[in-house]
Each structure stands twice: as structure tokens, then as C-alpha cells.
């Protein structure tokens, strides 16, 4: 008998549904068992977040520097520029729209700590991280840049193995346990009477981001069409198989073969496509950035947390770097971003769990937006490189 496999999105949806359903009648004494699991899992996440940051960023920067071809800097700048545009475009759009459709939840907004109004765990175990998030970021940048300047490969190989260990940890432990964590959160919120406002906010944000990511793709391909002197709508249409594949796989890395094939169909030279597509699969995160910015703003509005443009500007700039080389597993980008959500926007464990649930609910759309946009970047790089060769 063939074993039925449920996607991460399916597991999260099931966890939310069960949390709401069981929260209607489950006794508090039993519910606190799941709340205790949430507390322990939250402490473990605090411990592992600096390790995730270092393990992903250090070898990623080192690899970029040592694999430096003549178009590496150009591709990286365009990809990062696209990611930044997505973040600020989302911030401007969300600032205009979200306050009109999302009202603060007065119970949450008036609490200094939203967790105080929910059930408390039977016990918790402190798991202090080896360093704080900002220290991890600074260390990652210093060591990553340093690896690009030294000739040896010993440290680079060591950090690559460290990355493999942390990726295995994410794939084998953190991601499988996330649905249980989300189940416990929604069970707790149902028992404390908060779930209705949360679900309504989820639906509004999902619809808003879907519209926004369609607009972003249109902008990306209009720009690519103008620079590449090609029909932007035909370019976008040719990338639809990659979009559809990413919806199913929820992984930019797993979609690379299809993205590459469709990029070639758009007339990009093979020598450019085979370089740009795999590179952008790890450094171009416009769709993921859009989701994280919009979701973070929605949750802050609901919780009554002031949104400061200056703080968000720094957050967006850091986001495009922190998510570089996020593991090719569903939910990898949000796991890499949790650290700066906490350090720069002040997200506590409850808001982080809401962020993870809302992000994963749209994970496939963000990934599809990422890989489809890779095709636009390939067209731009192909055109610029062709012009340079003529000079």
C-alpha cells in the first residue's frame, strides 16, 4: 500500500484546524501539555537561531567570493536590488492598505506580553544561545568575507560541513516539529478566545499578498522586457511552468531544472542561463521578502506595535542578506529570518509562531515568485553581457 505523503502546508493547515477544533472542549490541564511542548520548542529555537545564521551565511558568502566569475557581481547586485525593491514596494503598499483592513486586537494590543493572557506551561527549560542574534550576524559577515580573501579551503570546507549539519537539523527536527508547535499555539489561542481575529487576519493578508506578488512579477518582466528588448508578457508566459513547479515543490533548488529550461526558451544564452539560474536560486528572494514584510506588518498592526519606517528599512536591507542560501526546504527562509524579526522588530515567541504559520500558509507562492523572477534577471544579465561583448 502506497504511503500518503502530506506537504508541510497540508500539515500546518491540519494543525491549525485541529488546534481550533480541540480548543473547543479540551480541558486546560491536558492543553497545558501541548503548551509545555511549545515552551520547550521555543527555547530550542532561541538556541539554534544563531547557529542557523552562521551556518548559512558564512559558507554562502565564501562560495560567492571564490566562484567569482566576471558576471557574479552584476548578477548579485541585480538580485539584491530586486529583493530590496520587493521589500520597499511591499512596505509602501502594505502601509497604504493593511491599516484599512486590519484592526488591532484590543486584548492583545493592551497586553505588555501577549503570552500572559494564554495558558502557561507546566515547566520550561532555559536553553541560552551561544551568542545573541546580532553577534551571530556580525560574526557571519566577518568570517564569510574573510573566507573570500584567503587562499586556503580548510575553513570553507569546515563551514560547509557545519551548514550540512544545521540543514539536516532543520529538515529532520525543526520542520517536522513545526506543525505541532503551530497546533499548540492555535489550541492555546482558541482556549483564550483569540483565534477568530487571527484567522480573519490570515485570510486578509493571504489575499493581499497574492495580488501583490502578481503585480511584482509584472513589474519584473516589464523591466526585463524593456532592457532585453523582448515582449515581457511572452517572457512571463514562458516562465509559467517554472512557477507551477515551484508551487508544488516549494523549493527554489528543486525547481532549477525547469527554471533553466524555460529561461533558455526565453532566448537567454546557455552560458548565461547555467550561471544565473542556480545562483539566483539562492540569492534572489523577492517573493519571500514580500511575504515576510507583509506578514510582519500585519501581525504588528494586530498586536498594536508601532511600525517605524526607519526600523523597517534596516530590516528589509538585512532580510535580503540573512536569507541568502536559506536551505532548500519548505519554510527555510522564515527560519533564517526569525533572528532579525526578534532582534530588529521585537517579535516574541508568540508572534514568531504566528509569523511562521502565516508564512508557511503562503510558502509555495513566495517560492514561485522567487524562481519566476530568476528568469527576468537572466534576461537582463544576458542583454547587458551581450552589449559589453560588442564594445
Amino acid at each position: 500500500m502506497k504511503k500518503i505523503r502530506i506537504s508541510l502546508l497540508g500539515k500546518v493547515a491540519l494543525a491549525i484546524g485541529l488546534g481550533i477544533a480541540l480548543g473547543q472542549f479540551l480541558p486546560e490541564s491536558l492543553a497545558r501539555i501541548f503548551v509545555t511542548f511549545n515552551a520547550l520548542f521555543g527555547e530550542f529555537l532561541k538556541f539554534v537561531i544563531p547557529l542557523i545564521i552562521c551556518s548559512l551565511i558564512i559558507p554562502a558568502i565564501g562560495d560567492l567570493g571564490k566562484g567569482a566569475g566576471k558576471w557574479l557581481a552584476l548578477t548579485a547586485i541585480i538580485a539584491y536590488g530586486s529583493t530590496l525593491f520587493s521589500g520597499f514596494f511591499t512596505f509602501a503598499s502594505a502601509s497604504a492598505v493593511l491599516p484599512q483592513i486590519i484592526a488591532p486586537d484590543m486584548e492583545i494590543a493592551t497586553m505588555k506580553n501577549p503570552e500572559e493572557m494564554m495558558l502557561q506551561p507546566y515547566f520550561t527549560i532555559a536553553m541560552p544561545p551561544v551568542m545573541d542574534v546580532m553577534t551571530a550576524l556580525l560574526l557571519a559577515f566577518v568570517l564569510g568575507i574573510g573566507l573570500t580573501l584567503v587562499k586556503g579551503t580548510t575553513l570553507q570546507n569546515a563551514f560547509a560541513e557545519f551548514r550540512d549539519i544545521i540543514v539536516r537539523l532543520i529538515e529532520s527536527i525543526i520542520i517536522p516539529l513545526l506543525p505541532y508547535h503551530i497546533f499548540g499555539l492555535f489550541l492555546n489561542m482558541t482556549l483564550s478566545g483569540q483565534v477568530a481575529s487571527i484567522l480573519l487576519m490570515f485570510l486578509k493578508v493571504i489575499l493581499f499578498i497574492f495580488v501583490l506578488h502578481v503585480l511584482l512579477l509584472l513589474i519584473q518582466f516589464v523591466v526585463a522586457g524593456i532592457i532585453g528588448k523582448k515582449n515581457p508578457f511572452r517572457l512571463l508566459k514562458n516562465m509559467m511552468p517554472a512557477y507551477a513547479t515551484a508551487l508544488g515543490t516549494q523549493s527554489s533548488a528543486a525547481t532549477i531544472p525547469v527554471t533553466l529550461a524555460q529561461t533558455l526558451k526565453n532566448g537567454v544564452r546557455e552560458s548565461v542561463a547555467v550561471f544565473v539560474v542556480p545562483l539566483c536560486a539562492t540569492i534572489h528572494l523577492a517573493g519571500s521578502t514580500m511575504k515576510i514584510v507583509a506578514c510582519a506588518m500585519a501581525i504588528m498592526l494586530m498586536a498594536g506595535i508601532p511600525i517605524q519606517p526607519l526600523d523597517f528599512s534596516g530590516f528589509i536591507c538585512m532580510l535580503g542578506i540573512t536569507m541568502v542560501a536559506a536551505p532548500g526546504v519548505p519554510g527555510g527562509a522564515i527560519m533564517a529570518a526569525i533572528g532579525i524579526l526578534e532582534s530588529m522588530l521585537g517579535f516574541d515567541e508568540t508572534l514568531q509562531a504566528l509569523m511562521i504559520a502565516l508564512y508557511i500558509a503562503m510558502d509555495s507562492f513566495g517560492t514561485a515568485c522567487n524562481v519566476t523572477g530568476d528568469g527576468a534577471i537572466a534576461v537582463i544579465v544576458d542583454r547587458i553581457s551581450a552589449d559589453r561583448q560588442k564594445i
Side-chain angles (χ1 to χ4, degrees):
M1 183 176 178
K2 188 176 180 180
K3 185 178 180 180
I4 299 176
R5 297 190 64 180
I6 304 176
S7 68
L8 179 61
L9 175 59
K11 292 177 182 178
V12 169
L14 183 62
I16 293 173
L18 286 175
I20 295 171
L22 294 179
Q24 306 298 325
F25 59 86
L26 205 65
E28 289 189 4
S29 58
L30 186 56
R32 286 182 66 190
I33 296 175
F34 298 100
V35 175
T36 302
F37 166 79
N38 271 26
L40 295 173
F41 187 76
E43 286 292 325
F44 179 69
L45 279 182
K46 284 183 181 179
F47 167 77
V48 82
I49 282 170
L51 303 181
I52 291 175
I53 290 172
C54 288
S55 67
L56 296 182
I57 294 179
I58 294 173
I61 295 177
D63 286 340
L64 287 178
K66 292 188 177 182
K70 60 181 179 179
W71 301 115
L72 172 63
L74 174 65
T75 305
I77 289 171
I78 294 174
Y80 185 60
S82 174
T83 300
L84 286 183
F85 174 81
S86 173
F88 286 106
F89 171 65
T90 303
F91 179 79
S93 302
S95 296
V97 176
L98 291 185
Q100 311 302 320
I101 62 176
I102 296 178
D105 185 300
M106 296 312 297
E107 287 185 322
I108 296 178
T110 55
M111 296 293 292
K112 291 184 178 179
N113 180 6
E115 293 178 351
E116 292 176 2
M117 64 193 298
M118 299 195 288
L119 296 180
Q120 298 301 305
Y122 283 115
F123 67 92
T124 187
I125 300 174
M127 304 179 195
V130 294
M131 65 187 84
D132 62 33
V133 171
M134 189 54 64
T135 301
L137 284 168
L138 291 173
L139 180 64
F141 292 145
V142 169
L143 292 180
I145 294 171
L147 288 176
T148 67
L149 303 176
V150 299
K151 295 182 179 179
T153 60
T154 303
L155 273 180
Q156 178 70 22
N157 293 336
F159 281 119
E161 292 182 3
F162 179 40
R163 175 187 57 201
D164 293 341
I165 292 172
I166 299 301
V167 168
R168 185 68 61 86
L169 173 68
I170 294 172
E171 292 176 336
S172 304
I173 298 178
I174 295 178
I175 295 298
L177 289 180
L178 277 179
Y180 298 98
H181 184 50
I182 292 168
F183 165 76
L185 173 70
F186 275 84
L187 176 68
N188 203 346
M189 289 193 302
T190 301
L191 287 167
S192 60
Q194 302 174 45
V195 73
S197 59
I198 297 292
L199 287 180
L200 182 60
M201 182 269 290
F202 271 35
L203 292 174
K204 291 177 179 178
V205 174
I206 289 172
L207 179 60
F208 171 71
I209 291 179
F210 177 77
V211 173
L212 214 58
H213 104 279
V214 171
L215 293 175
L216 177 63
L217 287 176
L218 288 173
I219 292 171
Q220 288 176 334
F221 278 89
V222 165
V223 172
I226 292 172
I227 295 175
K229 298 181 180 180
K230 297 180 180 182
N231 185 328
F233 301 104
R234 185 173 299 168
L235 294 174
L236 181 56
K237 179 182 176 182
N238 286 340
M239 293 303 300
M240 284 299 100
Y243 181 94
T245 303
L247 284 178
T249 63
Q250 296 179 281
S251 169
S252 297
T255 313
I256 285 175
V258 181
T259 309
L260 181 59
Q262 299 309 119
T263 300
L264 293 172
K265 191 173 180 180
N266 273 336
V268 176
R269 287 170 296 160
E270 185 175 358
S271 59
V272 174
V274 297
F275 169 75
V276 172
V277 169
L279 177 61
C280 285
T282 60
I283 67 173
H284 182 227
L285 296 148
S288 298
T289 298
M290 171 177 284
K291 287 191 305 177
I292 291 175
V293 170
C295 292
M297 292 180 70
I299 290 173
M300 291 174 73
L301 284 170
M302 186 197 66
I305 300 174
I307 296 176
Q308 304 293 341
L310 189 60
D311 291 342
F312 250 92
S313 297
F315 172 73
I316 291 168
C317 293
M318 287 298 298
L319 195 59
I321 299 172
T322 305
M323 292 190 301
V324 166
V329 296
I334 187 61
M335 295 311 303
I338 283 294
I340 58 173
L341 282 167
E342 177 187 0
S343 63
M344 301 186 75
L345 299 183
F347 274 45
D348 60 21
E349 291 179 20
T350 299
L351 298 185
Q352 289 173 25
L354 281 175
M355 187 74 187
I356 292 171
L358 183 53
Y359 181 92
I360 291 176
M362 299 172 291
D363 194 23
S364 56
F365 289 110
T367 304
C369 186
N370 289 340
V371 302
T372 306
D374 294 347
I377 292 178
V379 171
I380 295 172
V381 174
D382 183 58
R383 177 66 183 184
I384 294 174
S385 62
D387 289 342
R388 289 287 182 87
Q389 289 178 358
K390 292 177 182 177
I391 299 175

